[in-house]
Amino acid sequence: MPVTLTDIKADVGSVAGHVTPHPKQIKAVKEVLMEGAKSKRISDFFTSRVGDDIHLIMLHKGGEGASEVHGLAWEALKAASEVAKDLGLYAAGQDLLKDAFSGNVKGMGPGIAEMEFEPRKAEPMIALMADKTGPSAFNLPLSKIYADPFTTSGLVIDPRLHEGFVIEVMDQKEGTVIPFDLPSELHYYLALIGDVTKYTIKRVRSKDKSLGTAAVVSTDKLSYIAGKYVGKDDPVAVLRAQSGFPAVGEILQPFMFPTLVGGWMRGSHVGPLFPCSSDGSNPTFFDGPPRVVGLGFMVKGDAIVGIEENPAVGEHKPVDYFAGEDFQYARQRAMEIAVYMRQHGPFMFERLPEEDMEYTTLKGVLEKVLKNKGITQGK
Ligand code: F6R
Ligand code: MG
Ligand code: MG
């Protein structure tokens, strides 16, 4: 019986600055999701957060895009946004771009990563939740995981992975999705995916049809939906691990390298990806550096299993992979890189080129200066 794992996430207000949701917001989303579990709209769930983003991780049988599940998530995020308004939190309701729910949260502000699959006998899964960056932050790490035999040794030594994977690449502006058969199309794939301003990985599929989807990434760009800067597209990726997919350790290894990503401070700067625990994800240095949290859990039939003693719906405790000492090395390096990058101040390429900045007020600056000085452009 196939199940669907859906992670819907949004920033609906935070304390003090774009830093962390309030515990009352987490309580509010849990109450709504608990009602959803009671009424069987979802079978299990847990909530988490990275920086100012609340994540609703839900297991259900509704398939991808199920309106009852998306509607439930919308209700939960609305409730958290009401709490934010009551408490006077910062940017209350920021990512909820529409007033009324109309069947699917896609294009309404929240990010979504969801996949339907037939659970294996044991189904280890990982949610990679990032803050202060965009969906293409996962381009390099996922390319290493699914296409680099120097990272995923299973591609070389496990016959179940020998054939490689199909990676679907999305052109973020046009919406075109191109599947690449790897490794045979590796060079064409890298020629596109290396342009992180344009392309994003959308989905990874095993070539073994019985295994199906390996990974999904949230791809929505809020500014493309709203037509202007409205908030951050802090992304999430959901992956299946082991037995025919990359091992957990192969999935986590790329995060030891603090990849440079766009979207830091005002969605307009480049910084290193800093792997950390959910509790340690408050972005405090120049609203960053961009964070990534890795949570591990099992799916058993229609239940989620973490490291909680008495599994109760909604109360799961996932493994917080980057919490330990191992990734301290990456954090140290990331901070050194972050300080180095910040020394560029407002200069590119620490600051993103104008067309990739979320705060695109620079064009206005030029117009203002020219007008004040009575200069006609081009003269
Ligand atoms: C928000 C983010 C922050 C803000 C910055 C300015 O997730 O990335 O860096 O862009 O704090 O925020 P406003 O414009 O709300 O003052
Ligand atoms: Mg925010
Ligand atoms: Mg955020």
Side-chain angles (χ1 to χ4, degrees):
M1 184 66 171
V3 293
T4 303
L5 199 285
T6 300
D7 184 329
I8 293 184
K9 47 87 29 197
D11 169 2
V12 288
S14 48
V15 189
H18 292 272
V19 177
T20 177
H22 191 281
K24 282 190 175 167
Q25 291 176 286
I26 303 292
K27 194 162 170 259
V29 295
K30 275 188 177 174
E31 276 167 13
V32 175
L33 295 189
M34 193 55 89
E35 281 308 312
K38 279 192 190 135
S39 61
K40 306 260 184 270
R41 285 205 269 177
I42 51 175
S43 51
D44 209 347
F45 74 93
F46 68 95
T47 63
S48 190
R49 70 105 183 177
V50 54
D52 55 7
D53 294 303
I54 298 178
H55 284 248
L56 314 176
I57 295 131
M58 301 169 288
L59 188 68
H60 58 94
K61 295 215 169 73
E64 292 174 23
S67 66
E68 69 276 15
V69 176
H70 283 225
L72 183 71
W74 183 259
E75 264 175 59
L77 294 169
K78 269 270 184 212
S81 129
E82 289 311 316
V83 172
K85 283 176 195 157
D86 288 349
L87 293 176
L89 302 189
Y90 193 64
Q94 172 191 277
D95 287 357
L96 305 185
L97 303 183
K98 307 274 158 77
D99 292 329
F101 179 71
S102 57
N104 192 308
V105 294
K106 196 158 172 42
M108 299 185 74
I112 315 138
E114 63 180 346
M115 62 160 99
E116 186 177 40
F117 58 94
E118 190 70 55
R120 296 164 293 163
K121 208 164 79 198
E123 189 62 63
M125 299 196 71
I126 298 179
L128 294 166
M129 317 183 301
D131 187 38
K132 310 292 185 258
T133 183
S136 51
F138 290 122
N139 286 13
L140 191 151
L142 293 197
S143 297
K144 285 186 170 173
I145 295 166
Y146 295 103
D148 173 21
F150 286 78
T151 298
T152 294
S153 68
L155 291 168
V156 181
I157 63 181
D158 182 343
R160 293 171 298 183
L161 278 80
H162 274 165
E163 297 309 313
F165 290 85
V166 173
I167 302 190
E168 293 178 9
V169 172
M170 181 172 155
D171 178 329
Q172 289 196 68
K173 279 196 181 128
E174 305 296 334
T176 323
V177 177
I178 313 164
F180 284 94
D181 192 315
L182 300 172
S184 64
E185 297 181 311
L186 182 65
H187 296 171
Y188 298 121
Y189 165 78
L190 290 174
L192 296 191
I193 203 70
D195 183 349
V196 292
T197 66
K198 204 165 174 212
Y199 298 101
T200 302
I201 294 175
K202 189 177 170 58
R203 186 177 287 264
V204 183
R205 287 186 271 121
S206 168
K207 288 187 199 166
D208 176 345
K209 293 236 165 23
S210 70
L211 287 174
T213 300
V216 282
V217 183
S218 63
T219 47
D220 282 334
K221 285 281 278 178
L222 287 180
S223 53
Y224 294 158
I225 299 169
K228 60 176 185 339
Y229 177 83
V230 280
K232 294 297 331 309
D233 330 293
D234 307 326
V236 55
V238 175
L239 297 81
R240 296 166 73 200
Q242 309 286 154
S243 306
F245 293 117
V248 168
E250 290 165 338
I251 290 170
L252 301 181
Q253 183 191 303
F255 296 96
M256 197 57 91
F257 168 65
T259 317
L260 288 177
V261 296
W264 186 10
M265 180 56 93
R266 300 178 186 276
S268 304
H269 294 79
V270 176
L273 198 55
F274 178 98
C276 59
S277 65
S278 176
D279 285 345
S281 68
N282 288 353
T284 52
F285 177 65
F286 195 59
D287 282 1
R291 313 254 141 177
V292 61
V293 169
L295 301 182
F297 52 95
M298 304 295 302
V299 166
K300 185 177 190 314
D302 56 8
I304 291 171
V305 180
I307 45 173
E308 62 283 347
E309 245 179 278
N310 301 308
V313 172
E315 293 305 330
H316 305 296
K317 190 170 180 286
V319 184
D320 198 340
Y321 289 120
F322 300 136
E325 279 302 301
D326 297 5
F327 280 86
Q328 186 52 32
Y329 172 75
R331 287 192 280 276
Q332 179 64 34
R333 278 190 82 197
M335 286 317 298
E336 281 161 18
I337 295 163
V339 170
Y340 163 81
M341 293 300 283
R342 279 309 303 139
Q343 284 168 3
H344 294 80
F347 285 80
M348 283 160 51
F349 292 100
E350 207 278 313
R351 200 209 80 196
L352 283 163
E354 187 182 330
E355 60 277 16
D356 301 320
M357 293 169 70
E358 304 270 5
Y359 277 53
T360 47
T361 47
L362 284 191
K363 197 162 175 284
V365 172
L366 175 65
E367 276 161 17
K368 195 168 161 187
V369 171
L370 292 177
K371 191 165 168 246
N372 287 349
K373 296 181 182 296
I375 299 172
T376 311
Q377 197 154 16
K379 295 276 156 25

